[in-house]
Amino acid sequence: GCLLDKVRPRWVWVADPGEYEIVAAAKERGARIVEFQHGIVDRYNGSYSWTARALPHKRQMPLPDYLFLYGDYWLEELKVNGFWTEELRAVGSPRIDDYRKKRTSPSSQNSTILFTTQGIEVQKLVGFARDFLNQNAGSDVRVVFKLHPVYEPDARLYRQAFYHDVGLSCQFK
């Protein structure tokens, strides 16, 4: 049998859209589904771009009962198409909230720019970052490249691209 039959969870938590199999199986067994926001979830994202025209089918679709979002911005963004309503919850993000505290603390003297990556179009991202930094040369800016842990675990291309830049503070995480 299915692990869900043995465990019989009342709640199943997922971190990515498109977990249709586990969502469908859990719902068939009466569990409630919570999905945590992972990255950008806007009205144009294929996993969330349903419109009001799909409402008659919503109960049969393998979708979460609740979407826990980073904040009100994302909640309002998903409401626009008329499909997502009661399941949206703005719950915040401890990591983002922590960065906000650091940003507004008196000890933060310089600006930090965060580039998040997905391992797609790396050379274009490096070129964009280089152009931006060249246009802002001399400013007190720290740059952090947050590489996607699954799709881009190696920082070599970024290190090579910025290795010779004197005075540029880059971190790769």
Side-chain angles (χ1 to χ4, degrees):
C2 176
L3 176 64
L4 293 172
D5 291 332
K6 294 177 190 212
V7 176
R8 297 180 181 262
R10 291 184 304 168
W11 293 90
V12 172
W13 304 70
V14 296
D16 288 313
E19 299 282 348
Y20 304 121
E21 296 85 358
I22 187 71
V23 168
K27 282 188 165 219
E28 284 176 0
R29 289 157 178 81
R32 305 290 299 238
I33 312 301
V34 175
E35 179 183 320
F36 287 91
Q37 181 175 348
H38 175 142
I40 295 174
V41 296
D42 63 12
R43 67 184 100 170
Y44 306 108
N45 181 309
S47 297
Y48 305 98
S49 62
W50 299 102
T51 65
R53 293 183 66 184
L55 285 173
H57 310 286
K58 190 174 187 177
R59 288 179 27 90
Q60 290 78 39
M61 297 168 74
L63 299 172
D65 296 295
Y66 298 100
L67 283 171
F68 284 6
L69 303 168
Y70 293 156
D72 290 330
Y73 172 83
W74 304 104
L75 186 142
E76 295 303 323
E77 181 64 24
L78 289 182
K79 277 186 174 181
V80 168
N81 287 337
F83 181 80
W84 300 102
T85 55
E86 313 305 322
E87 56 280 294
L88 302 177
R89 300 288 191 277
V91 298
S93 165
R95 179 174 284 170
I96 291 172
D97 293 343
D98 186 47
Y99 284 123
R100 283 188 181 125
K101 287 178 198 167
K102 288 178 183 177
R103 181 186 70 197
T104 58
S105 71
S107 64
S108 60
Q109 300 297 321
N110 62 359
S111 297
T112 300
I113 296 175
L114 173 66
F115 282 95
T116 58
T117 73
Q118 189 108 18
I120 302 169
E121 300 288 356
V122 173
Q123 294 302 332
K124 287 183 180 180
L125 176 60
V126 165
F128 173 81
R130 182 176 291 290
D131 290 347
F132 175 83
L133 294 168
N134 286 336
Q135 291 175 18
N136 293 283
S139 59
D140 189 16
V141 174
R142 187 181 111 206
V143 178
V144 176
F145 286 87
K146 175 68 174 100
L147 308 183
H148 193 286
V150 174
Y151 301 117
E152 195 170 30
D154 189 353
R156 273 184 284 181
L157 289 172
Y158 297 95
R159 288 186 202 286
Q160 291 168 355
F162 296 104
Y163 179 75
H164 297 292
D165 288 337
V166 178
L168 177 61
S169 173
C170 284
Q171 286 183 304
F172 305 93
K173 296 182 176 190

